[in-house]
Structures are given as structure tokens and as C-alpha cells.
Amino acid sequence: METIESKDKVYTDYFYDEADFDKNHFRYKYLHIPDGIKRQPLAVPPVLEPDKQTDTDIWFTIESKEGESQILPGSKTHTWGYNAGLLGKTTVVKRGMRVHVTLKNSLPELTTYHWHGMEVPGPITDGACHAPVYPGEEKQIEFTVNQPAALTWLHAHPCPSTAAQVWLGLAMGVVVTDDNEAKLPIPKSYGVDEFPIILQDRTFHEDNQLDYSADYDPMGVYGETPMINGVVRPYVDVTTQKVRLLFLGGSNRREWRLHFDDDLVMTQIAGDDSFLQHPVKMTKLLVGPGERLQVIVDFKDYKEGDVVDLYTDDFKLVEFRIHKFEKDDSVLPETLFTPEDPEVDPNRQVRYVTMDDHNKMNGKEFSMQRIDMKAEVGKAEYWDVKNTNSKDHGMLHPFHIHGAHFLVVSRNGHEPNPNEIGVYKDTIEVAPQETVRLKVIFPMTGVFMYHCHIIEHEDAGMMAQIQIYDPKDPDKKYPLMDMATLTKAFAEERGIKESEVWMPGMCTEGYGPEADTGASTHASTGASAHAGHSMHHMEHMSMEHEDTSTGASHR
């Protein structure tokens, strides 16, 4: 069998034009480490224990809660997390299992639970804007896992406060396993030779606290201090020759351009929603907001006592400390995974989606009650997604689709990047004036969002909705959240007037102040004033929605 070791090609660039990198944006913030922080072990999120499990079903409780986290020396930082004070415990599910989840909100305000990368029904189980869980409330969802092994993730998605809640810590890994992964000769001992690497950045204010309203920027919020799994200045003790790193781009805005100090090769084996068909060797790796990429690093040429450093650009992120290890002669097969690649009906129209400015899709700001496109469940389609911003003033926009995976067909009519071939993705960076063609498959019915995953951009309106229908019930209506209900709920929970509610960025439907950098004068997410808890339910939401699916979304 031909093996990856027999392949000589090693890619040594990031596959994107450097002029489009976020560091060339005029509001970019360079990273730095506050004084007095010593190196500390990388925190490995513990695995969430199920409430119950059988051969076919598994039950979990996922609780959103407040916490106090020792991130910097001195005062602890007020944070939010899932079953933890910050971020969350890693949830592991296996293909074929029926998953039952109790969603418990112990926060002082409403939140949602979005399963980014999971193929689940929409809009309620998907957990975006239309599925609020109110303070003190519990809701039940369930779904069957029918997708390949991957690192997906759970994060808050209460439009338009997604960015603010993620900033406080509501993000965690959800690992899907399957029989194919179990057979592959790859590191898979969690916390020993397999490590999640959640890449985030935060700015800490007086008394080590987060203040999203003070940092808010409609172009995207940068933090000044890197946090890896919630840790500043982490190191990893390397006790095996080969290590598997599961990168998650968990930042609101920042791109991570990763490389080792001595250009040690990383072998990418997986992307967002599956393994790659064939491994790809590289020395540089760009991880955008929302993306997940898995690599294997072989430390065979290092000896006990060596230190290897992982950088983003010229900034050191993680220190790998080499200890004594046993020789590992395992060989990766050339083929790791074979994606299904269904034919597209040649008579089916190509979807045309544009990302415009920092706050529009197809020239429109997001509206919760508007359905922008419709498509039949299970039918493969081509989507042409274009970043319409100019090369002079534009940026990479990470395009994300809920409830679906896609194959990358081309970039500006040319072959995709090498690590985008033969892998299921749900998030992809699109450069200014670039068009990517995607083959998109929605396996579930419901209403789903597609948007830019610079979170401030989706909150500002760079988001739209598609209804996936069963031909037997093409006009099914779904309960959709509206801004009036949302604004009223936040006002009651924060103990303020509706006119004082600040939901940064989104000013559609006549709600919300105009986005500006003076937003810190408004009440922000996580404020201490919360008089009363709003116990609204989905039956209070409108059952009707505007349908513009025959409009400009096709060409």
C-alpha cells in the first residue's frame, strides 16, 4: 500500500494572499502577555460524563453557568461556561447513537445552544437564534448522530448577542467518533497524545475582568492576550513520539497562522466535519474563526529535554517539552476517509450568495422572520459564495452553514487548497473578490442559518436563512424568534428599559442602537443588574415568516 511517508510534497505557505490577512487590517491588535505570568500546563478539558447510557442511546445534561476563573495572577475573572466555569467539558458521541440532551440555563439571561458542525434538525435542535432557553429553564432535545468522526463544537448563538456570550466563555468541543477512526493508526489517547487546542484571544480590564462592550468593534473584536484552552502561556509535556492536535478557531475575529519555530512538519488528517481523504503535509496552517483542523506532529528527531515552540505569526503560543518516549513506527494509510460525492442535477440552479461589507448577505441585513432561500432536503446543490469586498479594503470572511456539510469544488474556478480536497467542511475562508464553489448537502429539514463567522459580522447582519423542506410538506411553518420578543426578554432579565438594551451590531427591524465604538455606555451582556427572570416560551413567537426564497439568491 502506498503510504503518506512515501509522499514528498510538503506545503510551505498558508494558501492565502498575505495582503488579505487580518494583521493587515487597520484595526488589528497585536498579541502580548501581561507581566508576571509563568508557564503553566495546558488545561485539557475533562470529558463530560453521561447521565445514562445504553447500547443505542446516551443522555447528557449541559448546563450554562457563571464561574470564576484564575486566568491571570491576582483576581479571578468572571466567566461563563458549560458544566464548568470557563469553556466546557468535552462531549463525546459516537456515530449511530441517539443523543438525549437536557439544556439547563443557570445564567442570568437567555442563551441558546448551537451545535456547530452537527447535522441536526433546525431550527430548534440546531440551537441558533430561534431556540432560546431562559434563565432557570431546562429544555430537552434529541438527535441521532449520523456523520463521520470529527471535532465539532457547541457555542451560544442568541442573535445578536452571540459574540458577547462567546466572549464570556460559552464554547466547548463536541467530538464525534466512528468505526473508521477507531481503525486508523493515529494518536487517540485523550490528554496523553491527543490534545484539543482551542484558540482564543481576550482583553482583560481592571481587576482582570472582561468587558465586551468596552472592546466592541463592528469590524470584529480582537483580544490582546492569547488563551489556549483558557490558559495563558501553556506548555505540553510530550511523552509520545507522535501527538495529535485538534485545533479549533474559537476567536470572535482573529485568524491563527500556525507554525513551529523550526518549521516542523504538521500532517493534517482532518477538517471541520470529517477526516481528509488523503493526509496533507505542511509547515504552515491558517485556522480561521469557526474552523477545525486536526494534525499529527512527529517528534522523532527530538530528544529528551528539547523544547519545540508553536507560533502564530511571530508570537509564541504553546511550548512543547520533549520527554523520553517509545519509538512509534506506525504508518498512516494514503486514504483516511472517502467522502460521499453525490451528483448535482444539471438542471438545478446554482445558488449565488454574496458577503457584502461587514453586515450583509446578498445585499440584505439579517431578519429573523425572513426566509431567504428554500431547498429540498437531501439534494446536492452548487453554491457560489462570493466575498464582494474590494482587495484594498476587504478581509477574509469565514463562511459557515448550519446543519449541513459541503465539499469545496473550486476557488475562482481553480482547484481548492490542498487541505480542502476530499473533506467535509462547514466553514471556509473566502478572500476579497473571490468566489468559492461549494457542493452543499442538507440531510435534515428545518430552518438553518448561513453567515460570516467573524461573530461581530453575523451579529451585525451578515447572516441569512434557508428552509430545507420535505416535498411532502414544502410549506411547513416553524416558530421563529423576533426582535421584539428578544429585546423584551433581555430588558426584563437585566432590569432595564427596552430602549436601554444593547445588542451590538444588529440594527435591523427597528431595534437596537446604531453600532458605534461608544457602545460601552449601554448595558452589556453579563451586567450585574438583573431584576427578574423572563420565562417566555416558543409559543409566544410568531409562527409566520416572510419568504423571499424566489428572490436574488439564485442566478
Side-chain angles (χ1 to χ4, degrees):
M1 177 186 293
E2 192 174 16
T3 64
I4 186 64
E5 276 74 10
S6 67
K7 302 296 185 181
D8 295 328
K9 180 66 175 178
V10 176
Y11 296 94
T12 59
D13 61 65
Y14 292 113
F15 307 133
Y16 297 94
D17 185 344
E18 185 172 352
D20 300 328
F21 290 165
D22 61 356
K23 66 179 180 179
N24 295 313
H25 191 271
F26 71 100
R27 291 178 178 173
Y28 182 77
K29 290 184 179 179
Y30 286 91
L31 294 170
H32 80 273
I33 301 291
D35 294 336
I37 300 180
K38 298 179 179 179
R39 287 273 164 200
Q40 52 192 316
L42 177 73
V44 179
V47 174
L48 180 63
E49 291 294 327
D51 301 330
K52 184 172 64 171
Q53 185 172 359
T54 68
D55 290 340
T56 58
D57 292 65
I58 191 166
W59 287 259
F60 294 102
T61 297
I62 296 179
E63 179 184 7
S64 298
K65 57 191 290 188
E66 296 181 282
E68 298 290 328
S69 302
Q70 191 72 63
I71 302 173
L72 303 180
S75 298
K76 292 184 178 180
T77 305
H78 178 227
T79 54
W80 291 1
Y82 295 113
N83 301 88
L86 173 64
L87 300 178
K89 297 183 178 181
T90 301
T91 301
V92 181
V93 295
K94 186 174 182 180
R95 187 170 193 170
M97 295 291 285
R98 186 69 177 171
V99 181
H100 310 257
V101 186
T102 298
L103 304 172
K104 181 179 180 180
N105 184 5
S106 297
L107 298 171
E109 66 182 51
L110 72 86
T111 189
T112 72
Y113 302 76
H114 169 50
W115 300 83
H116 182 134
M118 294 295 290
E119 296 173 3
V120 298
I124 304 305
T125 306
D126 175 65
C129 306
H130 305 303
V133 181
Y134 294 92
E137 188 176 29
E138 294 184 9
K139 287 188 175 179
Q140 312 294 323
I141 61 169
E142 58 183 60
F143 54 87
T144 299
V145 181
N146 187 25
Q147 61 190 92
L151 171 63
T152 70
W153 60 307
L154 181 74
H155 65 80
H157 205 306
C159 319
S161 294
T162 300
Q165 291 198 0
V166 171
W167 190 258
L168 282 171
L170 290 181
M172 75 175 195
V174 180
V175 174
V176 179
T177 64
D178 66 6
D179 291 340
N180 177 59
E181 179 189 32
K183 296 174 183 176
L184 292 175
I186 59 175
K188 54 174 77 84
S189 296
Y190 185 77
V192 178
D193 59 10
E194 175 194 8
F195 299 94
I197 305 290
I198 302 173
L199 300 158
Q200 296 180 309
D201 53 336
R202 296 292 182 267
T203 296
F204 296 91
H205 294 269
E206 184 178 357
D207 211 25
N208 291 342
Q209 299 309 305
L210 301 171
D211 187 345
Y212 180 77
S213 61
D215 296 324
Y216 177 69
D217 185 330
M219 292 297 105
V221 174
Y222 291 102
E224 297 173 350
T225 300
M227 285 199 324
I228 314 300
N229 296 0
V231 171
V232 179
R233 297 193 74 200
Y235 66 83
V236 174
D237 286 315
V238 176
T239 59
T240 59
Q241 179 182 318
K242 296 179 181 179
V243 171
R244 178 180 171 191
L245 303 177
L246 289 71
F247 293 117
L248 163 58
S251 290
N252 288 32
R253 167 68 183 99
R254 187 178 298 276
E255 300 153 11
W256 303 86
R257 284 169 291 276
L258 306 177
H259 62 94
F260 284 96
D261 55 346
D262 59 355
D263 288 331
L264 176 61
V265 170
M266 296 176 278
T267 302
Q268 186 176 343
I269 59 169
D272 294 333
D273 297 329
S274 75
F275 281 87
L276 272 67
Q277 186 167 8
H278 307 297
V280 177
K281 291 182 178 181
M282 58 191 70
T283 59
K284 295 179 179 179
L285 187 68
L286 186 146
V287 183
E291 285 190 300
R292 288 90 61 211
L293 301 93
Q294 299 185 37
V295 304
I296 293 176
V297 182
D298 190 342
F299 292 100
K300 61 184 174 63
D301 294 329
Y302 299 88
K303 64 182 184 301
E304 186 175 6
D306 287 345
V307 174
V308 188
D309 296 326
L310 180 69
Y311 279 73
T312 180
D313 293 329
D314 59 355
F315 193 91
K316 181 176 173 178
L317 288 179
V318 184
E319 191 174 276
F320 289 83
R321 299 178 176 180
I322 310 300
H323 296 261
K324 186 176 180 180
F325 51 71
E326 298 294 326
K327 188 176 181 181
D328 183 347
D329 292 325
S330 60
V331 176
L332 278 174
E334 181 193 3
T335 300
L336 302 173
F337 169 74
T338 302
E340 296 182 8
D341 190 7
E343 293 292 326
V344 175
D345 184 340
N347 296 316
R348 189 176 296 275
Q349 287 182 301
V350 174
R351 303 274 180 183
Y352 185 62
V353 177
T354 63
M355 294 185 286
D356 314 308
D357 301 322
H358 74 283
N359 63 341
K360 298 180 183 70
M361 283 276 183
N362 288 93
K364 297 179 180 179
E365 290 184 340
F366 175 67
S367 175
M368 292 191 186
Q369 297 282 299
R370 188 182 69 234
I371 299 299
D372 298 277
M373 300 194 295
K374 284 187 175 180
E376 186 176 342
V377 68
K379 298 290 187 180
E381 298 184 334
Y382 288 126
W383 286 32
D384 280 358
V385 181
K386 182 175 182 178
N387 179 346
T388 63
N389 291 289
S390 70
K391 292 287 288 184
D392 291 338
H393 304 291
M395 62 182 74
L396 292 169
H397 285 297
F399 178 75
H400 169 55
I401 304 179
H402 288 213
H405 64 255
F406 53 75
L407 296 170
V408 185
V409 178
S410 63
R411 286 182 174 272
N412 279 343
H414 302 290
E415 190 172 70
N417 297 332
N419 61 341
E420 295 171 342
I421 298 171
V423 58
Y424 292 153
K425 287 184 62 62
D426 59 57
T427 307
I428 186 170
E429 294 277 10
V430 185
Q433 290 298 303
E434 182 178 38
T435 298
V436 296
R437 172 161 287 192
L438 311 175
K439 183 182 287 189
V440 182
I441 306 102
F442 283 91
M444 300 280 185
T445 58
V447 174
F448 300 95
M449 294 168 179
Y450 52 98
H451 58 80
C452 175
H453 216 283
I454 295 174
I455 311 183
E456 284 73 27
H457 290 188
E458 66 178 90
D459 277 351
M462 191 181 275
M463 182 159 60
Q465 299 183 113
I466 185 169
Q467 181 167 341
I468 306 302
Y469 65 88
D470 185 326
K472 297 177 182 178
D473 189 9
D475 298 316
K476 182 176 180 177
K477 299 298 182 184
Y478 292 89
L480 301 183
M481 174 60 89
D482 61 88
M483 287 296 291
T485 300
L486 188 70
T487 303
K488 182 178 180 181
F490 275 127
E492 291 180 5
E493 291 157 6
R494 298 174 189 176
I496 58 177
K497 297 177 182 178
E498 289 183 41
S499 61
E500 296 174 335
V501 172
W502 178 59
M503 291 182 284
M506 189 176 291
C507 303
T508 61
E509 304 173 21
Y511 287 87
E514 290 297 322
D516 58 46
T517 56
S520 58
T521 61
H522 298 281
S524 65
T525 294
S528 59
H530 301 280
H533 290 168
S534 175
M535 297 299 289
H536 300 276
H537 296 281
M538 291 302 293
E539 57 264 26
H540 293 287
M541 300 177 199
S542 171
M543 294 295 291
E544 301 297 326
H545 48 254
E546 178 186 358
D547 185 352
T548 63
S549 60
T550 58
S553 58
H554 295 72
R555 67 172 184 183

